[in-house]
Amino acid sequence: KEAEMLTDASRALAITYGGSIKDIDELTLTLGRAGVEIKNLKEATQASVELATITGDSFKDASEVTSSFITTFIKNMNETGLSVGRLADKLGYVANASKLSVKDLGTVGNYALLTSQKLNLTTDATGALITSFSNLGMNASTIGTSFRRLDLIFSGAGFDKVFAKLGQSQDEWRVKIRENSDELINFGKALKNLSVEEYEAVTKGMDVLAKNTLDAMRNGADIAEGHLLRLKNAADLSVMAQAKAMGATTQMQRIANAVTTSLDGLVTKILDFSERSDISKLTEEYGDLSKQLEKTGITQAEITKINERLNAIQGELERKVGSFNDKLKTLNSTVANTIVFIAGSGGVYLALKG
């Protein structure tokens, strides 16, 4: 029964996003071998396909990232209220808002996720820090190294001057962060509140990599805070992925066009592809506004206004993508006895029955 359910899910994903059913089945096997539990395989497969869709990366890279984050935050840390679907939404945000590819995220995860477990960081805090470090120009391996130094900063020797200047001990900060990940952002803001002279005095002679990590925490405090807020309300990855798929010459478009052509206009009243144009424009606006939030010097009033528009766009996308999907379902029902889907090495194709 579970195998049958996963096969049906692979077929549906192939139709929606393109790619062959065989490739998606292999993706599911990869996730299973990586330790993703059977109960999470369907959602994890969908998350990986959608992540690959919005980033343009391979299914293989997307599945490796998805499985490692699921293992850390859901299986090992059992993060409260975090489902595979919501985790996927957050991964989609990080991939879009950072300068990192999905493969880069995998590299970061190899180093960062262990620190996240040690400091009990949430997905949101981890994602906010990864994204802000990337926005500051760090590459994947440097971000990973900075996370390792972050664990050292809150547990190792040589940081007494920093914590003394901030007015709380290393142990007090570590406890605070483990109890509430948002305190990690507050730590960066506390560093930022030090004058240049004060900051340089307490970090003088420090290990270079640790100093670089503190620099990034200090310089990126406001950026990280913005990302943290938006990660907590990350847009539905399915909506964003489907919106992107509808805005280009994708497998789904070719399938739908084939249906319309094969049935000589029978379904043109059911399925109006002009909606794709609206969806594409909304997706572009969402991306442009998200980039504006990354600019330094942006005021709180501007942030509030942009966030209100982002929420409105997300609502419009959910409505329009939902409407489009409803029409696809009607279309499938209407032509069920007329066409048959054929899975081949190049994807999913259509043929007339009889």
Side-chain angles (χ1 to χ4, degrees):
K1 184 179 178 181
E2 287 165 344
E4 194 175 309
M5 176 190 70
L6 290 171
T7 299
D8 290 342
S10 294
R11 175 182 176 277
L13 289 170
I15 293 170
T16 303
Y17 298 114
S20 71
I21 294 176
K22 178 185 176 184
D23 288 343
I24 296 174
D25 283 343
E26 287 178 353
L27 184 157
T28 304
L29 286 173
T30 299
L31 290 167
R33 289 171 183 147
V36 176
E37 296 176 277
I38 292 177
K39 66 179 181 180
N40 290 325
L41 271 179
K42 181 181 176 182
E43 273 192 297
T45 299
Q46 180 174 335
S48 299
V49 170
E50 290 171 348
L51 193 59
T53 298
I54 67 167
T55 61
D57 293 303
S58 71
F59 286 166
K60 180 178 182 295
D61 290 338
S63 67
E64 289 174 356
V65 170
T66 303
S67 63
S68 64
F69 275 74
I70 288 173
T71 299
T72 297
F73 294 104
I74 294 179
K75 184 178 179 181
N76 294 347
M77 295 176 66
N78 195 25
E79 185 174 319
T80 304
L82 184 67
S83 65
V84 172
R86 280 307 286 159
L87 175 60
D89 298 339
K90 296 172 191 298
L91 280 174
Y93 174 87
V94 173
N96 270 334
S98 71
K99 301 173 183 177
L100 302 170
S101 67
V102 167
K103 193 166 187 176
D104 287 334
L105 281 176
T107 300
V108 172
N110 290 337
Y111 299 94
L113 296 184
L114 181 59
T115 296
S116 292
Q117 283 190 233
K118 288 182 176 179
L119 292 177
N120 198 37
L121 302 182
T122 61
T123 317
D124 293 335
T126 301
L129 211 58
I130 289 173
T131 309
S132 65
F133 284 178
S134 176
N135 294 157
L136 291 172
M138 288 187 181
N139 61 30
S141 59
T142 304
I143 294 172
T145 300
S146 293
F147 263 83
R148 293 178 70 173
R149 285 300 183 275
L150 196 63
D151 178 40
L152 180 66
I153 287 167
F154 291 107
S155 61
F159 303 97
D160 294 346
K161 290 181 181 179
V162 174
F163 290 104
K165 194 65 180 178
L166 295 181
Q168 287 185 302
S169 71
Q170 184 183 57
D171 286 342
E172 287 173 323
W173 271 107
R174 187 179 180 89
V175 169
K176 282 169 59 176
I177 290 168
R178 284 189 57 80
E179 291 178 349
N180 180 2
S181 293
D182 292 10
E183 290 295 334
L184 187 62
I185 309 301
N186 290 333
F187 176 75
K189 294 173 77 172
L191 291 174
K192 186 180 178 183
N193 288 335
L194 298 178
S195 69
V196 174
E197 294 76 14
E198 290 173 327
Y199 178 72
E200 291 301 327
V202 297
T203 56
K204 186 177 181 180
M206 185 179 291
D207 168 73
V208 174
L209 295 176
K211 170 70 160 53
N212 289 343
T213 300
L214 289 174
D215 288 348
M217 292 288 295
R218 183 173 189 261
N219 297 331
D222 292 338
I223 299 173
E225 185 176 37
H227 287 310
L228 182 67
L229 174 64
R230 292 188 290 281
L231 275 160
K232 289 180 178 180
N233 300 286
D236 188 326
L237 179 60
S238 295
V239 171
M240 301 308 291
Q242 288 182 43
K244 182 164 183 176
M246 290 176 195
T249 307
T250 60
Q251 193 73 5
M252 187 183 75
Q253 182 183 352
R254 290 197 293 273
I255 289 172
N257 286 343
V259 173
T260 304
T261 301
S262 299
L263 299 181
D264 195 24
L266 175 65
V267 298
T268 53
K269 291 182 180 179
I270 298 176
L271 195 57
D272 179 9
F273 281 95
S274 66
E275 285 183 326
R276 286 194 301 105
S277 176
D278 294 338
I279 290 168
S280 181
K281 289 176 182 176
L282 286 169
T283 306
E284 289 177 8
E285 184 183 357
Y286 191 97
D288 290 341
L289 288 171
S290 295
K291 288 178 182 177
Q292 288 183 37
L293 287 170
E294 297 170 18
K295 294 179 180 177
T296 56
I298 187 170
T299 66
Q300 189 58 50
E302 289 172 325
I303 291 173
T304 300
K305 185 176 180 180
I306 291 173
N307 278 328
E308 286 176 354
R309 179 56 186 154
L310 286 173
N311 288 334
I313 291 173
Q314 186 176 336
E316 289 182 64
L317 281 172
E318 287 173 353
R319 179 175 59 79
K320 287 183 179 293
V321 171
S323 170
F324 196 91
N325 284 339
D326 287 343
K327 290 178 181 179
L328 278 177
K329 290 175 184 176
T330 303
L331 172 62
N332 285 337
S333 175
T334 301
V335 301
N337 295 320
T338 311
I339 61 174
V340 59
F341 290 96
I342 302 174
S345 60
V348 181
Y349 301 92
L350 289 166
L352 293 175
K353 284 184 177 178

